[in-house]
């Protein structure tokens, strides 16, 4: 078998050190962003005209860089957005906190009752000759890890939102000095979020494992079964963050667009539009806080799935600590790789023109993937024995360390392929989006038809990429291979999140420029940043969905093993009814979230119309709109509407497991995974394509685009309608679906002991 080269002490040092480096790098990036001043006070010190601050007011006199009013206005708008986002998240977290406590009690009661709350040691699940800690211990520790995961997820989302609202106006002010400066500010802010989240997730998980080990000792099977609660906590909070934030942002966006752009013919983010602050708040609570929680959930779950399978393989049976924590070592190296990759965007190369923005962001993906492949090869060589066994549905499968390296690598490269395919279908630099824009010539109906077709078509290559990575990784290392392939896809999470958070920050920066009445040239720069951000946001969603498919399958494998199911036979009625119902769930969930956005947007449209009709001087710009009412409409609607979809996802595994048993539940999980991935990819890409088709017409950068414009033309109005339909698809339903498939799987895994013991009541009665 051979032992790993890296000693256990090395592992105990490496993981926390990498996490601390990640946090330190995030704080350093934040410090650099904070050097862009948001006050209009000129510094009288001799080196004042040096760098970055507001003091380079001599650079571009014609841009009015030293216009104090603009800076003050930017600071005011930023403050309003930050306050709106903070108050929404606090309201949301109040409700989510109640749910978290209630669900924690449920976990304790269900898992504790497996052995009738007995405190005496029990025979181990996978080896009856040995004794393990009582089920009550698993109940207590699962509850603790659930709360840990939930709190970490909420903190990740909140920190992300705080950083984004801190950076948006600073990006606007830097845009006066050129597109390169603005890009660096937006990207650095995204990196703060990416590194904080990746490092926090890793550090909390590592500390939890070490603390739990004090009690569990050699019972690693029990230890890592209890750790799965961490993934459940992370993902259940992400669900509410994604759905609540998604409904908030899209209600405001649809209301602002329909009345402002289509009916009143005023520009996007015009300060006369009453929904404009709510719209900008929405970018932060949906795209930033929601996305942060979502990717944290994916990371936590893929780590938990890998650890559970490893604990019943030779790593766990022989107590090989370094090999056991291989998933965490991969993530640690990922932080170092992403740190190096980030420097390529901010320090090694400078962006001088608009056309360089998108290639720079794409380079981030390529560089991080190439460097990570090398990193994983080294880690696999030093942290794994040359050969070992992996648990594979009741038998131990012999695996070599190079095979495990290939499993991680195939996930990593599949992620890159999904990212590039997503970019091809959603960027207005390529023909698919240009064709959608062209279809606006004949009105909104053809635009919708072309957009839907593009979304369906964009599913093909990502599904093949996921299928190949599943086949390769399962062939080499069974379910553990799939779990580490998912981790491979998420190993560059810090860079992925930096690219993703960059989008909403740039979007906000454009909104602030418009509201502060800055010149047309500055708005063009922020629009260019925003268009690239739209594409990167779509790439981020592609990563999230692809990794969710792999994570869900790995969790499914762990659940099947834990519930002692040897085979899942589709031909048995118990499994097939689960399969067909599971495939329906993503549609039911999407219907709920789409309708929620629709009804919230309806209220918003009515309120915006009312203000335009009743406030004298609003259109002329002499009176101020009532922004607060629109913010309140979005907040109330999203809090109320996020509960039914959340309940559907959280209750389905419990109801199915208790009433129909583990076999039917395994069918439900497989069905929801298969249909959920397809809908999620097509919904995200359709929405992204419609949005960028509209931006393509607005920018008028090519001869073809100019023939469709300008803003306010019939073509443009058709594009705005397409964009408005796509909003709930790409920012509410699509991204929430990947949480649905992961969350149901991890919840089933956590409750597997209870379902295996007490589940299937209906079949027992009849």
């Amino acid at each position: 078998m051979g032992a790993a080269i890296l000693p256990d002490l090395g592992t105990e040092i490496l993981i926390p050190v990498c996490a601390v480096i990640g946090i330190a790098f995030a704080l350093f990036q934040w410090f650099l962003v904070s050097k862009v001043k948001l006050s209009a006070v000129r510094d009288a010190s001799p080196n004042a005209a040096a760098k970055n601050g507001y003091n380079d007011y001599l650079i571009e006199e014609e841009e009015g860089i030293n216009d104090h009013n603009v800076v003050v206005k930017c600071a005011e708008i930023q403050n309003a957005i930050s306050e709106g986002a903070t108050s929404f998240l606090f309201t949301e977290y109040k409700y989510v906190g109640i749910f978290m406590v209630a669900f924690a009690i449920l976990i304790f009661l269900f898992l504790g009752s497996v052995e009738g709350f007995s405190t005496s040691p029990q025979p181990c699940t996978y080896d009856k000759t040995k004794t393990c800690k009582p089920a009550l211990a698993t109940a207590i520790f699962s509850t603790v890890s659930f709360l840990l995961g939930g709190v970490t997820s909420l903190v990740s989302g909140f920190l992300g939102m705080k950083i984004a609202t801190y950076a948006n106006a600073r990006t606007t002010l830097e845009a006066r000095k050129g597109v390169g400066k603005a890009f660096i500010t937006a990207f650095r802010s995204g990196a703060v979020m990416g590194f904080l989240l990746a490092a926090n997730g890793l550090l909390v998980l590592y500390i939890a494992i070490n603390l739990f080990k004090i009690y569990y000792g050699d019972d690693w099977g029990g230890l890592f079964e209890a750790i799965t609660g961490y993934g459940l906590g992370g993902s259940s909070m992400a669900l509410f963050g994604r759905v609540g934030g998604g409904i908030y942002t899209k209600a405001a966006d649809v209301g602002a667009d329909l009345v402002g752009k289509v009916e009143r013919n005023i520009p996007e983010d015009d300060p006369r539009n009453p929904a404009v602050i709510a719209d900008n708040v929405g970018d932060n609570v949906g795209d930033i806080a929601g996305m942060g929680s979502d990717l944290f959930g994916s990371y936590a779950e893929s780590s938990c799935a890998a650890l559970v399978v490893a604990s019943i393989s030779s790593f766990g049976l022989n107590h090989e600590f370094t090999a056991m924590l291989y998933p965490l070592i991969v993530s640690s190296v990922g932080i170092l790789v992403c740190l190096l990759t980030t420097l390529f965007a901010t320090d090694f190369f400078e962006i001088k023109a608009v056309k360089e923005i998108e290639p720079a962001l794409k380079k981030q993906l390529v560089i991080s993937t190439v460097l990570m492949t090398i990193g994983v090869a080294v880690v696999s060589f030093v942290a794994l024995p040359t050969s070992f066994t992996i648990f594979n549905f009741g038998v131990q499968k012999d695996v070599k360390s190079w095979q495990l390296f290939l499993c991680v690598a195939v996930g990593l490269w599949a992620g890159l392929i999904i990212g590039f395919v997503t970019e091809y279908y959603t960027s207005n630099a390529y023909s698919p989006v240009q064709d959608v824009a062209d279809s606006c010539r004949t009105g909104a109906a053809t635009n919708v038809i072309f957009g839907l077709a593009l979304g369906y078509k964009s599913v093909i290559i990502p599904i093949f990429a996921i299928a190949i990575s599943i086949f390769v990784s399962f062939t080499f290392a069974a379910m553990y291979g799939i779990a580490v392939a998912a981790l491979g896809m998420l190993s560059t999470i810090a860079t992925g999140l930096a690219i993703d958070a960059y989008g909403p920050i740039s979007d906000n920066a454009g909104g602030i420029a418009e509201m502060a009445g800055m010149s047309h040239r500055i708005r063009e720069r922020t629009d260019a940043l925003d268009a690239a951000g739209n594409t990167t946001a779509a790439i981020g969603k592609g990563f999230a969905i692809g990794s969710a498919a792999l994570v869900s399958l790995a969790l499914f494998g762990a659940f099947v093993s834990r519930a002692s199911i040897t085979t899942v036979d589709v031909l048995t009625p118990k499994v097939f009814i689960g399969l067909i119902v599971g495939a329906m769930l993503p549609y039911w969930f999407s219907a709920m979230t789409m309708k929620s956005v629709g009804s919230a947007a309806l209220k918003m449209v009515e309120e915006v119309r009312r203000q335009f009709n009743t406030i004298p001087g609003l259109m002329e710009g002499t009176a101020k709109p009532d922004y607060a009412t629109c913010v309140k409409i979005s907040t109330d609607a999203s809090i109320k509407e996020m509960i039914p979809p959340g309940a559907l996802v959280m209750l389905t595994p419990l109801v199915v497991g208790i009433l129909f048993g583990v076999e039917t539940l395994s069918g439900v999980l497989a069905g929801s995974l298969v249909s959920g991935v397809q809908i999620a990819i097509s919904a995200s890409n359709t929405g992204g394509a419609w949005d960028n088709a509209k931006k393509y017409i607005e920018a008028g950068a090519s001869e073809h685009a100019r023939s469709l414009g300008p803003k306010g033309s019939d073509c443009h109005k058709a594009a705005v309608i397409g964009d408005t339909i796509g909003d709930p698809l790409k920012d509410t339903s699509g991204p929430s679906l990947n949480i649905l498939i992961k969350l149901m799987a991890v919840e089933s895994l956590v409750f597997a002991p209870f379902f295996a013991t007490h589940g299937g009541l209906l079949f027992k009665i009849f």
Side-chain angles (χ1 to χ4, degrees), residues 125-126 312 391-395 474 479 555-570 572 574-575 656-657 660-670 745 748-749 751-757 759-760:
T125 312
Y126 301 98
I312 49 177
F391 183 84
N392 180 23
F393 300 119
V395 293
F474 188 86
M479 278 300 171
L555 291 165
F556 176 68
F559 161 73
V560 169
S561 305
R562 183 63 189 84
S564 309
I565 305 171
T566 43
T567 53
V568 178
D569 186 356
V570 181
T572 55
K574 274 185 188 179
V575 176
V656 175
F660 301 96
V662 286
E663 286 178 321
T664 308
L665 181 54
S666 63
V668 168
L669 295 179
S748 304
L749 174 59
F751 286 106
F754 177 79
F755 296 150
T757 315

Side-chain angles (χ1 to χ4, degrees), residues 590-762:
S590 298
M592 282 176 153
T593 49
M594 295 280 286
K595 196 161 182 292
S596 298
V597 172
S599 55
L602 196 68
K603 289 180 193 147
M604 187 66 79
V605 167
E606 285 168 355
E607 173 58 25
V608 175
R609 277 182 186 153
R610 183 194 68 74
Q611 291 199 29
F612 273 126
N613 293 333
T614 57
I615 299 177
L618 183 55
M619 271 305 283
E620 292 74 32
T622 52
K624 275 184 87 172
D626 176 9
Y627 297 128
T629 308
C630 290
V631 170
K632 189 176 184 322
I633 287 173
S634 260
T635 304
D636 294 348
S638 54
I639 297 294
K640 188 171 118 233
E641 300 280 358
M642 77 179 180
I643 295 165
L648 173 73
V649 178
M650 298 302 289
L651 294 177
T652 299
L654 294 177
V655 171
V656 175
I658 293 167
L659 295 181
F660 301 96
V662 286
E663 286 178 321
T664 308
L665 181 54
S666 63
V668 168
L669 295 179
S672 65
L673 165 63
V674 168
S675 83
V677 173
Q678 329 276 341
I679 305 171
I681 295 174
S682 68
S684 294
N685 290 351
T686 293
W690 274 328
D691 193 347
N692 271 345
K694 176 202 73 177
K695 289 224 162 47
Y696 176 72
I697 294 171
E698 287 176 350
S702 67
E703 197 54 51
H704 175 238
R706 283 192 287 278
S707 72
L708 301 169
K711 284 185 184 181
S713 66
D714 286 345
C715 250
H716 179 245
K717 283 184 176 168
V720 170
I721 290 169
D723 174 35
T724 312
I725 299 168
D727 275 337
L729 285 172
K730 75 175 166 66
D731 290 323
T732 313
S733 298
S736 307
L737 278 172
N738 64 58
I739 303 176
L740 170 135
I741 55 179
K742 293 180 308 193
L743 185 50
M744 284 182 16
V746 74
E747 189 182 338
S748 304
L749 174 59
V750 169
F751 286 106
F754 177 79
F755 296 150
T757 315
H758 301 303
L761 293 179
L762 283 183

Side-chain angles (χ1 to χ4, degrees), residues 39-61:
S39 60
V41 181
R42 286 190 196 163
D43 189 347
S45 63
N47 57 353
K51 213 164 178 205
N52 265 345
Y54 167 67
N55 310 305
D56 344 5
Y57 57 87
L58 294 172
I59 294 180
E60 290 182 27
E61 268 312 328

Side-chain angles (χ1 to χ4, degrees), residues 6 22 71-72 95 133 218 220 232 266 303 376 381 458 460 474 487 502 505 540 569 574 598 683 718 723 735 744 757:
L6 182 68
V71 184
V72 171
Y95 287 91
K133 299 291 181 193
D218 286 345
W220 284 16
L232 176 61
I266 58 175
S303 302
V376 172
F381 177 67
S458 71
I460 301 167
F474 188 86
L487 260 176
Y502 154 87
I505 292 169
D569 186 356
K574 274 185 188 179
D723 174 35
M744 284 182 16
T757 315

Side-chain angles (χ1 to χ4, degrees), residues 168-179:
N168 50 16
R170 287 172 166 78
T171 304
T172 310
L173 293 177
E174 286 292 270
R176 298 174 308 174
K177 302 172 193 168
V179 77

